[in-house]
Amino acid sequence: EKDHTANLIFSTYQTMINYIDKARDKDNKRIYTVGHFDLIICDEAHRSIYSRYSEIFTYFDSILVGLTATPKDEIDKNTFKIFGAESGDPVFNYSLQQAIDDHFLVDFGILKISTNMIRDGVKYDELSEEEREMLDNAYDSDGTVELNFSGQDINKWLFNKDTNRKVLAELMTKAIYVDSGNKIGKTIIFARNHRHAEIIREVFYEEYPSSDYGQDFCVIIDNQVKIVELA
């Protein structure tokens, strides 16, 4: 980025904001003046409506092209307005269905899985004496904290093995199978966080022992894994 005569520059929002504010030449004049660029292409354009990033587009006097799969048309967050288009009416729209019809994307199906705990949550007063004791011990409760959990709390900060066990059972029953139906295909499960991923993996090997599935059959891939080899 030291060569300011370049015809093509790639930059993050944060870097460009800093350059507009601070970058100066030897005469202490702005390196990036309002007319510096002829064209600005903004990927993930919906992010431009937040914080100071929109100032980039009001500062430069250039043709502006925004690309996004998730435009915003809220009153205080309107991607269309920033890019000079009518709300809900982009200059060009390539729909999901069109991409599927053109064989660039593959259509998807939805399988909804629910358990009583996911649907109704956990109500302390409705638990058995044994279940209450387990919950009290798990959260070191002295009776001053109300140990009720909504369905949305499950797998947010309350990890329940039985719930994950039922979900994995549905997966193993209804997943895509390969190798003439003898092996489950490569599958990715999005966990809430690292601890949730660990619980899922623990439950998997409890239900499906490593004697049947190798230790590398179910693995965790996240920012806590230093080296990952994808087969």
Side-chain angles (χ1 to χ4, degrees), residues 39-210:
L39 173 66
I40 295 178
I41 300 175
C42 173
D43 195 15
E44 300 292 333
H46 56 279
R47 300 182 186 276
S48 64
I49 61 182
Y50 297 106
S51 190
R52 298 178 57 212
Y53 298 154
S54 60
E55 295 178 16
I56 296 174
F57 312 117
T58 57
Y59 174 76
F60 288 114
D61 181 16
S62 69
I63 296 174
L64 185 61
V65 177
L67 309 173
T68 178
T70 55
K72 306 287 186 181
D73 60 358
E74 301 168 18
I75 292 177
D76 60 336
K77 296 184 177 72
N78 193 309
T79 313
F80 299 97
K81 182 178 179 181
I82 287 180
F83 290 88
E86 293 291 330
S87 290
D89 184 23
V91 174
F92 176 79
N93 177 46
Y94 191 64
S95 68
L96 170 63
Q97 188 57 54
Q98 188 62 53
I100 292 171
D101 293 342
D102 292 340
H103 304 293
F104 288 115
L105 297 177
V106 177
D107 203 357
F108 62 90
I110 297 176
L111 173 63
K112 292 185 177 181
I113 302 174
S114 183
T115 67
N116 291 339
M117 184 171 287
I118 291 176
R119 185 174 57 252
D120 302 328
V122 175
K123 298 178 178 60
Y124 185 81
D125 291 340
E126 296 177 3
L127 297 177
S128 67
E129 193 65 35
E130 181 182 3
E131 290 170 332
R132 290 184 192 182
E133 184 177 351
M134 291 174 60
L135 196 57
D136 286 335
N137 291 336
Y139 287 91
D140 194 24
S141 174
D142 58 2
T144 61
V145 178
E146 186 175 327
L147 294 177
N148 293 321
F149 305 90
S150 71
Q152 293 180 340
D153 287 331
I154 308 302
N155 291 334
K156 182 177 181 181
W157 55 279
L158 171 66
F159 299 112
N160 175 266
K161 278 195 170 185
D162 189 55
T163 297
N164 287 289
R165 190 175 293 113
K166 288 180 170 63
V167 172
L168 283 172
E170 289 284 336
L171 169 66
M172 298 300 286
T173 302
K174 300 177 181 177
I176 294 175
Y177 276 78
V178 297
D179 191 20
S180 300
N182 295 317
K183 183 174 68 174
I184 187 173
K186 288 184 178 180
T187 303
I188 184 168
I189 301 173
F190 288 100
R192 184 80 188 187
N193 53 34
H194 183 76
R195 180 54 188 151
H196 185 205
E198 289 180 325
I199 292 290
I200 294 173
R201 190 174 188 274
E202 289 172 15
V203 171
F204 178 86
Y205 281 116
E206 288 174 2
E207 296 298 302
Y208 311 97
S210 56

Side-chain angles (χ1 to χ4, degrees), residues 8-22:
L8 186 62
I9 294 176
F10 293 92
S11 175
T12 64
Y13 292 122
Q14 297 93 328
T15 297
M16 186 51 63
I17 281 286
N18 287 333
Y19 265 88
I20 291 172
D21 288 343
K22 301 175 182 178

